[in-house]
Amino acid sequence: MEILQPILTSLIGLIGVLIGLFINEYFRRRNRVELYSKEIFQKRLSVYEKLYEKIYKISPIAHDIMENPKYSEEERHEIWSSVVFDMAKFMDSNELYLNENITVHCVSALIGVEDVYYMEDPEEKKGEIENFTKSIANARKMIKAETGLEALDKLFSSISKAKHESEIISYYQKLKRELKK
């Protein structure tokens, strides 16, 4: 029995050291994930800010391409192709940080814009312009949701309880409700 006592004590000590090592490794990895999460979030936010800005700048160019008669077919195609290729290049170079669905939506929304000007049916043309405008608005909304900014807006509004009221805001809210229908 006396011989087993030191072996048992050593074994318990060894098991304690091993458990300590496993616990230490667990917390070390968890801290590393939290550290990287913060850095990745900042990088993703930066990429989405740039994407939002690109979309904002693309919209007036698209409307010009779809409605302005001063361009030849070749000029229209050349201008819009450079916009689409620029967006595709941005998406490809930031693929690691962008949601795949948002990437597909944003690039797909740009396809065919240069052909809208040549549509003969005015209602069809108007519909395509409206579809493009809605797609761009949806892209902006998706970006706000993906970055968490939409949720933060709701949180801040619930905390501050601010109620902004004016005739302009009422009209805007009315239009917004109608668009959702």
Side-chain angles (χ1 to χ4, degrees):
M1 204 60 169
E2 287 181 25
I3 296 175
L4 290 178
Q5 187 66 25
I7 294 174
L8 190 59
T9 304
S10 298
L11 193 57
I12 291 173
L14 182 61
I15 291 172
V17 168
L18 290 174
I19 290 173
L21 286 172
F22 286 126
I23 290 172
N24 183 43
E25 182 65 16
Y26 170 77
F27 284 112
R28 187 179 68 77
R29 287 184 182 197
R30 188 169 176 195
N31 284 339
R32 187 176 347 141
V33 167
E34 288 176 9
L35 176 69
Y36 288 143
S37 294
K38 184 178 179 181
E39 290 177 19
I40 290 171
F41 177 80
Q42 289 298 331
K43 176 64 177 174
R44 283 189 76 189
L45 184 59
S46 172
V47 168
Y48 277 110
E49 285 174 345
K50 290 175 187 169
L51 176 59
Y52 194 88
E53 185 178 323
K54 279 186 168 297
I55 289 171
Y56 184 78
K57 289 179 179 178
I58 282 173
S59 191
I61 298 169
H63 284 280
D64 188 42
I65 291 294
M66 290 186 283
E67 298 169 0
N68 195 334
K70 75 175 183 179
Y71 299 111
S72 69
E73 188 173 348
E74 294 81 29
E75 289 172 324
R76 199 175 304 282
H77 181 73
E78 186 179 316
I79 292 167
W80 194 246
S81 291
S82 69
V83 169
V84 172
F85 288 136
D86 181 59
M87 179 63 87
K89 183 180 176 185
F90 176 81
M91 296 294 198
D92 286 345
S93 64
N94 292 289
E95 176 182 23
L96 183 62
Y97 301 104
L98 293 170
N99 177 292
E100 189 175 327
N101 293 331
I102 293 175
T103 299
V104 168
H105 176 82
C106 289
V107 174
S108 297
L110 306 180
I111 304 300
V113 166
E114 71 276 16
D115 299 327
V116 172
Y117 178 78
Y118 298 104
M119 292 182 168
E120 293 178 15
D121 181 9
E123 287 301 314
E124 184 182 5
K125 185 175 184 176
K126 182 181 175 189
E128 285 300 315
I129 292 170
E130 287 174 2
N131 285 340
F132 173 78
T133 303
K134 286 178 186 175
S135 290
I136 293 300
N138 284 338
R140 288 180 179 156
K141 190 173 182 179
M142 288 178 202
I143 292 169
K144 283 184 174 182
E146 186 70 20
T147 58
L149 294 175
E150 187 176 298
L152 283 174
D153 279 347
K154 289 178 184 177
L155 175 66
F156 291 150
S157 293
S158 71
I159 291 171
S160 69
K161 306 277 190 222
K163 300 289 183 198
H164 306 289
E165 294 181 23
S166 75
E167 288 179 25
I168 295 170
I169 292 173
S170 296
Y171 181 70
Y172 169 74
Q173 293 300 329
K174 178 184 169 191
L175 289 175
K176 197 170 156 183
R177 284 190 298 274
E178 288 174 7
L179 283 175
K180 284 185 179 179
K181 292 178 184 177

